[in-house]
Structure formats: structure tokens, C-alpha cells
Amino acid sequence: TDLDLRADGTPAFKGGGCSVRYVRAPLDPYDIKLNDQNKASVGTIFELLSDERNYPVFIHCQAGADRTGTLALLLEGILGVPEGEIVLDYDLSTLSGECERNWYENELIEFIIDDLRSVHGDGDLTYLCRARAEALGVPASSVDAFCRIMTE
């Protein structure tokens, strides 16, 4: 499955005799705000990720850094990946040739984490990411199915 987080674009996989399902779920870069577009997109994403028949899934945006990195933060947080590792993964997205962020510049990820805390209160990143998914209308059963698929 080709999961495209851009608002517009063309499928990443074309021809080649392979059958790839194309799904567009546009997200805001740097944040998964509680707005209608993100609610619809995150719902689509979890509907896709909670069904193992959709795997493997290629998740991307334009550069693979901002929207993809933000979604990776949410997904890794839900899975219980330690915050330090999530921050490092987000920093690694600066290696994209299209990305203009500086290595070790954590301001963007700190902005995202601060937003999660301002809306959902104190707690570890797992709690905050699960709370954001719930606030975006993702059923707990979809979150649980995603976690089961990713940890089996």
C-alpha cells in the first residue's frame, strides 16, 4: 500500500507489473492538530494500519521528513518507543536532501510534544500519542490492532 500524506501528488509506485493500492491521507506538517482534515486522514491511516492485509505500507510525503516524521512520532509513541529514540528518529529525517532543518535541531519535535502536553496534560509520550489518536476519533480497537500487528 502506498500511503501518501501530501495534499496533492501522484502515486509513488507506477507500473512495473505490481499491484499497489494508493491511499491519500493529507496531514499538516509538524503537527497533528485537532481539525477536520486531520481527523479524516488519521482515521483513514488507522483504518489502513489496523488491517494486516494492507501490509507492507510505504508511508511518505514530499521529502519524508515533516508530515512523515510527525506521523512516525505518533505511531512510535503509541507503540511505546522511548521518547529519546523517537526524537533521534525525527532528527534523522533531516538527512533528506529536501529537508532544510539542521541536524540536532529539536525545536520542531519539541513544538509537537509541547502541543500534545498542552492539550492532553502531563504524561509520557505513549499516553500523549494515544490521547491524540483518541481525540482524533481513532477507535481503541484500531490502535490495539495496529499495536498487535507491529509487535507480533
Side-chain angles (χ1 to χ4, degrees):
T1 304
D2 175 352
L3 177 55
D4 188 351
L5 305 178
R6 300 172 293 174
D8 58 2
T10 57
F13 296 99
K14 298 177 193 166
C18 62
S19 173
V20 176
R21 179 177 170 208
Y22 179 73
V23 177
R24 177 171 288 133
L27 290 178
D28 293 330
Y30 314 118
D31 194 10
I32 302 179
K33 295 179 178 80
L34 299 173
N35 62 38
D36 290 341
Q37 175 185 294
N38 287 339
K39 283 182 180 182
S41 291
V42 171
T44 297
I45 290 165
F46 273 92
E47 183 178 316
L48 183 83
L49 295 178
S50 66
D51 184 345
E52 59 193 316
R53 294 174 295 181
N54 294 318
Y55 286 78
V57 179
F58 173 63
I59 302 172
H60 67 94
C61 54
Q62 183 65 36
D66 303 323
R67 289 166 284 219
T68 303
T70 302
L71 179 61
L73 177 149
L74 181 71
L75 298 175
E76 288 179 332
I78 286 170
L79 290 168
V81 174
E83 187 170 330
E85 291 182 34
I86 294 172
V87 170
L88 179 59
D89 282 349
Y90 195 85
D91 277 346
L92 289 172
S93 70
T94 63
L95 297 175
S96 164
E98 306 247 349
C99 192
E100 296 181 14
R101 294 194 319 259
N102 295 320
W103 183 256
Y104 297 118
E105 182 179 41
N106 289 333
E107 292 176 10
L108 293 173
I109 195 165
E110 292 303 325
F111 170 80
I112 296 166
I113 294 170
D114 287 347
D115 176 65
L116 291 170
R117 287 194 172 111
S118 73
V119 174
H120 304 294
D122 290 328
D124 65 14
L125 207 47
T126 299
Y127 165 78
L128 295 171
C129 290
R130 285 176 178 260
R132 179 58 52 101
E134 181 181 349
L136 288 164
V138 177
S141 60
S142 293
V143 171
D144 292 343
F146 164 70
C147 290
R148 180 187 48 75
I149 292 166
M150 297 307 296
T151 58
E152 284 185 343

